Amino acid sequence: MQAINVSIGFDAKLWAQDILASKAHAAMLGAQGIIATADAAAIEAGLTAIGDEIAAGTFSFSDALEDIHTNIEAGLTARIGDAARRLHTARSRNDQVATDFRLYVRGAIDDVLAQIHDLMRALAGRAAEHAASVMPGFTHLQTAQPVTFGHHLLAYVEMLARDAGRLRDARARLNECPLGAAALAGTSFPIDRYMTAQALAFDRPTANSLDSVSDRDFALEYLAALSILAMHLSRLSEEIVIWCSAPYRLISLSDAFTTGSSIMPQKRNPDAAELTRAKTGRIFGGLIGLLTVMKGLPMAYAKDMQEDKEPVFDATDAITLCLAATSGMVRDMTVDTARMAALAGAGFSTATDLADWLVRVLGLPFRDAHHITGRIVAMAEQKQMDLPDLKLQDMQFIEPRITQDVFAVLSVAASVASRTSHGGTAPALVAAQAAKWLEALA
């Protein structure tokens, strides 16, 4: 029973939140005359001492005391005697743990947001550096149209901005204080829940005592937001792996973010990217695990909810490491702009520009222009040439009205420069967007 019931092995991580919430509760009890002000002061001093001991690593935790809340209360009783026994007046471990857990998740969100903003700064900075560096743009991992490397990096800035928005939204919803809901029904003591909420920097107390202790949707929303964030980091990591590979060689990473092989001395493996990609599974698993724990629970509290913390702690540790690694890789990578430019012009990447020219200059319907361009591409493929290398008479054999002017749109530089629609890859737009993000993130 002790082995399955004990949680101090992992919920000790909540010690700072538990002490903070207990201090707020004791101060409120004293202010309301529910306990003597001298007892409230003794509790405050005792909790401070315990916090110092835990921070110093000298506090002794006991499995027999089950969890962080009981361990701290037992330690407080040993220090100040009967005054400590008054701390639990008008509260239950149910609202106590719900409060501590909200405080933890709120703090974790703030830390993750800071890391997201740091990664966004890293990406926007490299985007500004490479606003005009052309590279192949892909669909289906096949060459599609040329873009700039800066434009590609800014796509991840936009994704991360939405990730940050989801976390801010989750933070706003969780920022209500359950303390005072007690076991499930509230309390008959004349407590001031607004006082404790304010002391703990919550926006307000929770409105329903049953809901306060029986739901963990704030943790689920946090894990959901982390899962989407992890998916975005995994996609970027996958691209870093591809860009580093020998067939592409678009970027390289230094020894700081790669590892060697135990047998092949030439290897430089992008393991930081691969592990970031892999840790996504742990974060997804945390979300699915907690959803499964919660799906069948009747109100109010059930001990099943003890399983809420480990997936949140694990996902927080994983995403923190992944964000740090990704920011490091973005700042570390060396970009081979010449290689990017060479590949950007391969694979008939300006075929769409040819089709657009046929529409714009010759007035053809786009579907007809698409068909004609496909025939010209087939001819170039047969001749083992790229579109800009074809002769005018070759193209005129398929569409006689094509003129020498068409070659002005067939270069990679002309292609990216022409993409001036809002959100397009034109270097001037990319530079402006990178500057806008850097200013916003300063």
Side-chain angles (χ1 to χ4, degrees), residues 331-412:
R331 290 188 169 100
D332 177 78
M333 64 185 177
T334 299
V335 181
D336 189 338
T337 54
R339 175 70 176 166
M340 282 186 175
L343 290 181
F348 312 108
S349 65
T350 58
T352 306
D353 298 276
L354 172 56
D356 289 347
W357 186 90
L358 294 172
V359 171
R360 189 169 55 251
V361 176
L362 301 186
L364 294 176
F366 183 79
R367 284 300 168 202
D368 293 345
H370 186 281
H371 177 69
I372 291 168
T373 300
R375 292 176 61 195
I376 293 173
V377 167
M379 174 195 292
E381 201 167 24
Q382 187 178 18
K383 290 177 177 288
Q384 296 184 335
M385 303 170 71
D386 212 338
L387 291 177
D389 301 321
L390 287 173
K391 295 179 180 178
L392 177 61
Q393 51 264 44
D394 292 331
M395 288 189 273
Q396 287 178 332
F397 178 78
I398 294 173
E399 173 48 67
R401 290 175 292 171
I402 293 177
T403 68
Q404 188 71 31
D405 292 344
V406 75
F407 290 98
V409 304
L410 295 183
S411 72
V412 168

Side-chain angles (χ1 to χ4, degrees), residues 78-293:
R79 280 163 179 76
I80 67 170
D82 282 346
R85 303 181 194 280
R86 302 185 186 281
L87 173 59
H88 211 55
T89 307
R91 78 172 183 185
S92 160
R93 270 193 302 180
N94 294 353
D95 62 335
Q96 185 179 359
V97 68
T99 302
D100 294 355
F101 200 23
R102 285 188 188 231
L103 288 171
Y104 172 85
V105 173
R106 189 179 71 186
I109 287 174
D110 291 342
D111 292 341
V112 171
L113 282 171
Q115 284 194 285
I116 291 174
H117 293 154
D118 180 65
L119 176 54
M120 291 171 70
R121 280 191 293 271
L123 288 164
R126 299 310 300 267
E129 181 185 345
H130 292 284
S133 300
V134 292
M135 69 172 291
F138 300 99
T139 59
H140 309 277
L141 208 55
Q142 306 295 313
T143 300
Q145 293 176 270
V147 296
T148 73
F149 190 50
H151 191 57
H152 196 114
L153 295 179
L154 286 177
Y156 284 102
V157 175
E158 296 292 334
M159 296 179 208
L160 290 166
R162 293 192 294 275
D163 291 325
R166 275 182 281 272
L167 285 165
R168 285 192 295 268
D169 289 346
R171 190 193 193 284
R173 269 184 287 277
L174 75 80
N175 205 35
E176 296 182 344
C177 184
L179 202 55
L184 76 162
T187 178
S188 59
F189 290 97
I191 62 173
D192 185 348
R193 293 191 63 204
Y194 284 92
M195 179 180 174
T196 47
Q198 184 178 20
L200 296 171
F202 286 107
D203 293 332
R204 64 192 69 84
T206 50
N208 183 286
S209 60
L210 284 167
D211 175 58
S212 302
V213 300
S214 70
D215 207 349
R216 294 295 185 266
D217 57 356
F218 64 92
L220 288 165
E221 188 170 11
Y222 171 61
L223 288 172
L226 290 195
S227 294
I228 299 172
L229 168 59
M231 176 269 294
H232 286 148
L233 297 182
S234 183
R235 293 185 68 187
L236 177 55
S237 294
E238 170 73 4
E239 296 208 284
I240 289 173
V241 171
I242 291 170
W243 294 340
C244 285
S245 66
Y248 286 89
R249 300 194 312 277
L250 300 182
I251 67 167
S252 60
L253 294 171
S254 75
D255 290 344
F257 286 91
T258 56
T259 63
S261 163
S262 63
I263 189 172
M264 295 171 285
Q266 84 282 10
K267 293 297 292 298
R268 183 180 281 172
N269 301 317
D271 284 0
E274 292 173 9
L275 287 167
T276 296
R277 185 176 60 186
K279 287 182 184 296
T280 305
R282 298 176 68 137
I283 296 169
F284 288 3
L287 172 61
I288 298 302
L290 185 53
L291 281 168
T292 306
V293 166

Side-chain angles (χ1 to χ4, degrees), residues 18-32:
D18 194 70
I19 287 174
L20 183 66
S22 290
K23 285 182 176 181
H25 185 66
M28 181 275 296
L29 293 176
Q32 292 295 103

